[in-house]
Amino acid sequence: MSATQRILLVEDDDTLAETLVEQLALHPEFSLTRAETAKQALDITQKTSFDLILLDVGLPDQDGRETCKIIRQKGIKTPVVMLTGASTDADTILGLDAGANDYITKPFRFGILLARMRAHLRSQQNSESAVLAIGPYDLRAAVKVLEVRESGEKIRLTEKETNILKFLHRAQGAAVPREVLLHEVWGYNAEVSTHTLETHIYRLRQKIETDPSDAQILRTVDGGYCLNL
Ligand code: CA
């Protein structure tokens, strides 16, 4: 888990969005990205992963509930908190298959939103203490250990190595572009180059690959990396 919690705000109302941007800026643990339409939200969630999504129900191009449903269909498990208008029937928000985790009715007090956000981020992190299967290994991200499933032998990882594996695992075997992985692991404001990432990948392969020069688990693909799960 990188120190910064990446929040995606999907909201077409400039006044509300600007207020939230200002208020969240006072909390350095959050980095906020804004999308104004459902289309922008779907595009960006395709390329980048977030720790939490705040999703307006009344988007100009789509009902936010439908957007949430599509996000879930794409396999994205990020907690979604819907921002609803007072006139929206709140019961339908968490309804059957939209897949939202929570909703908050406008107008809301910032403190209430913040408390909800933190609660969802915490429960997400707890679920991340689960064991992730990667090839012959089990990744225990919370303790930065890769365990050989058969022998129980433990390989210690650095925090960056753990996060690299975690984010690649999240892509479920799909290719993750270098730039995306770099941002995921080092954060958006970090001034690191892809060379830094490549150095970490090199060291990680020394630890996990039988033949690091012919990687079979952490594979290089066109423009990025993927995991052979
Ligand atoms: Ca709206």
Side-chain angles (χ1 to χ4, degrees):
M1 198 78 200
S2 50
T4 317
Q5 308 276 17
R6 287 142 322 168
I7 313 296
L8 175 63
L9 170 66
V10 189
E11 174 59 76
D12 60 307
D13 180 338
D14 287 332
T15 311
L16 176 58
E18 279 160 22
T19 307
L20 289 178
V21 167
E22 275 171 26
Q23 286 171 319
L24 283 170
L26 301 173
H27 300 266
E29 74 263 38
F30 298 118
S31 91
L32 189 70
T33 303
R34 184 189 169 195
E36 294 177 37
T37 63
K39 183 178 183 308
Q40 282 178 13
L42 292 171
D43 285 348
I44 195 165
T45 50
Q46 193 79 334
K47 296 190 201 103
T48 311
S49 71
F50 293 91
D51 297 302
L52 183 88
I53 299 172
L54 300 173
L55 180 56
D56 180 29
V57 170
L59 293 171
D61 53 340
Q62 192 174 56
D63 187 312
R65 284 166 286 193
E66 188 59 30
T67 315
C68 184
K69 198 194 265 186
I70 297 170
I71 287 172
R72 292 291 183 244
Q73 281 164 357
K74 289 177 190 290
I76 297 166
K77 298 187 176 74
T78 309
V80 173
V81 177
M82 305 289 308
L83 308 177
T84 78
S87 60
T88 314
D89 179 5
D91 291 342
T92 68
I93 303 291
L94 303 176
L96 300 176
D97 48 11
N101 298 70
D102 201 356
Y103 67 90
I104 186 161
T105 307
K106 297 175 191 174
F108 48 80
R109 297 217 332 268
F110 180 69
I112 304 273
L113 177 67
L114 196 60
R116 297 274 185 88
M117 287 171 63
R118 290 199 164 126
H120 287 289
L121 287 164
R122 250 193 326 268
S123 65
Q124 178 74 356
Q125 271 162 11
N126 290 342
S127 69
E128 279 183 10
S129 62
V131 177
L132 307 177
I134 298 173
Y137 303 109
D138 286 331
L139 174 63
R140 297 175 190 280
V143 289
K144 301 191 286 263
V145 160
L146 204 56
E147 213 172 80
V148 182
R149 202 170 301 118
E150 263 184 23
S151 64
E153 183 199 336
K154 287 181 173 57
I155 300 169
R156 299 245 164 250
L157 301 175
T158 65
E159 181 163 359
K160 297 294 183 215
E161 290 166 350
T162 306
N163 286 339
I164 288 170
L165 288 179
K166 221 165 74 179
F167 286 117
L168 287 175
H169 184 275
R170 198 183 277 187
Q172 287 294 304
V176 177
R178 279 192 187 81
E179 291 294 330
V180 172
L181 189 57
L182 191 69
H183 286 147
E184 298 285 13
V185 174
W186 275 268
Y188 278 88
N189 304 318
E191 292 188 12
V192 288
S193 67
T194 51
H195 178 73
T196 306
L197 172 64
E198 282 155 18
T199 306
H200 281 78
I201 296 278
Y202 174 82
R203 294 205 197 111
L204 189 47
R205 282 179 172 153
Q206 303 292 319
K207 294 184 179 181
I208 68 173
E209 299 283 352
T210 311
D211 176 3
S213 64
D214 179 26
Q216 298 298 316
I217 297 167
L218 203 176
R219 292 168 48 225
T220 301
V221 288
D222 196 21
Y225 301 100
C226 72
L227 276 184
N228 212 348
L229 296 173

